[in-house]
């Protein structure tokens, strides 16, 4: 291997490590409220808890969990609000693309989240075991059942709801189901306000 190639490889590794360390040390969001307890598991395994109102920074790779009877509210630096219902767990991830805004991603393992973007279009996705919801400017509720079935209710805006078998644009006040091995169902009219009612408690107490 030539000296020039060695030098290039070392520079690349240094850049990668620097970028990783940079991403690890910059908060991407904040946990602002919890009814009950919000557990935050850092990438090194250290756990932090939020009870009531607070200002706990969140980082790439954090895992957030609520147990039975607990709810929580977090915000991303881009102006995206996310509420967690009880028995919910997800991991915070991001995707970088050249010359494009960062995509914030929730890898939702179980439970239910409500999310709303504000201040213009945002790049935001929620991944479930069977589907992905991608949004730019919207408000929606997404619930993952024990078998992985994912139930999306769009309160306002449009969500691109996709499985490995196809993507469906789901619009205001409609509902769609993502089932393993199938395309998401056609949107059907629903009471969208009822789907977000649970989030009002944890959201309202921070006003």
């Amino acid at each position: 291997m030539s000296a020039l190639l060695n030098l290039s490889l070392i520079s690349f590794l240094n850049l990668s490590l620097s970028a990783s360390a940079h991403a690890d040390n910059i908060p991407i969001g904040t946990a602002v409220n919890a009814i009950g307890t919000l557990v935050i598991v850092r990438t090194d395994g250290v756990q932090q808890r939020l009870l009531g109102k607070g200002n706990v920074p969140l980082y790439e790779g954090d895992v957030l969990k609520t147990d039975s009877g607990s709810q929580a509210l977090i915000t991303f630096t881009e102006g995206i609000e996310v509420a967690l219902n009880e028995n919910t767990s997800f991991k915070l991830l991001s995707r970088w693309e050249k010359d494009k805004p960062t995509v914030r991603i929730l890898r939702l393992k179980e439970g239910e989240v409500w999310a709303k973007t504000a201040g213009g279009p945002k790049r935001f996705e929620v991944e479930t075991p069977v589907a992905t919801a991608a949004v730019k400017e919207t408000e929606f509720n997404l619930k993952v059942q024990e078998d992985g079935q994912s139930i999306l209710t769009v309160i306002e805006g449009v969500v691109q709801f996709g499985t490995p078998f196809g993507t469906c644009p789901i619009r205001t006040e409609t509902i769609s189901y993502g089932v393993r091995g199938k395309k998401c169902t056609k949107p059907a009219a629903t009471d969208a306000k009822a789907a977000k009612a649970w989030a009002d408690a944890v959201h309202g107490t921070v006003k």
Side-chain angles (χ1 to χ4, degrees):
M1 185 179 294
S2 69
L4 180 60
L5 183 58
N6 276 329
L7 181 60
S8 298
L9 180 59
I10 292 170
S11 298
F12 172 76
L13 290 173
N14 285 339
L15 180 62
S16 299
L17 290 172
S18 175
S20 177
H22 183 69
D24 290 344
N25 293 323
I26 298 177
I28 63 173
T30 306
V32 297
N33 193 29
I35 297 174
T37 304
L38 172 65
V39 178
I40 303 162
V41 184
R42 307 297 188 184
T43 54
D44 60 3
V46 173
Q47 294 189 9
Q48 190 168 0
R49 285 172 166 74
L50 174 65
L51 297 83
K53 294 180 182 179
N55 188 28
V56 181
L58 301 173
Y59 299 91
E60 179 83 11
D62 285 349
V63 174
L64 278 61
K65 299 179 180 180
T66 55
D67 57 15
S68 178
S70 295
Q71 297 178 332
L73 181 68
I74 71 170
T75 61
F76 285 95
T77 54
E78 292 83 0
I80 303 167
E81 288 185 318
V82 177
L84 296 76
N85 205 352
E86 60 183 7
N87 297 317
T88 294
S89 175
F90 61 68
K91 188 173 187 177
L92 300 177
L93 299 169
S94 302
R95 184 171 66 246
W96 292 271
E97 299 176 48
K98 186 178 180 181
D99 299 328
K100 292 183 179 180
T102 300
V103 182
R104 298 302 181 196
I105 301 169
L106 301 185
R107 185 163 291 168
L108 180 60
K109 182 179 179 181
E110 59 184 352
E112 183 173 18
V113 297
W114 163 91
K116 182 178 182 179
T117 65
K122 312 295 180 188
R123 303 189 74 201
F124 178 59
E125 297 179 4
V126 181
E127 298 177 355
T128 78
V130 302
T132 298
V135 308
K136 288 186 176 178
E137 190 169 12
T138 189
E139 180 180 2
F140 67 96
N141 192 84
L142 184 55
K143 183 176 183 179
V144 176
Q145 298 185 330
E146 290 185 359
D147 61 358
Q149 177 174 264
S150 305
I151 306 169
L152 171 70
T153 302
V154 177
I155 300 159
E156 185 174 2
V158 180
V159 175
Q160 297 297 329
F161 194 39
T163 73
F165 298 87
T167 299
C168 312
I170 310 301
R171 303 182 185 280
T172 301
E173 295 191 345
T174 60
I175 189 171
S176 178
Y177 297 82
V179 181
R180 195 181 305 277
K182 297 181 179 179
K183 186 178 179 180
C184 48
T185 63
K186 293 182 178 180
T190 190
D191 182 358
K193 291 183 179 178
K196 61 170 284 188
W198 66 268
D200 290 342
V202 69
H203 190 262
T205 54
V206 297
K207 299 296 185 183

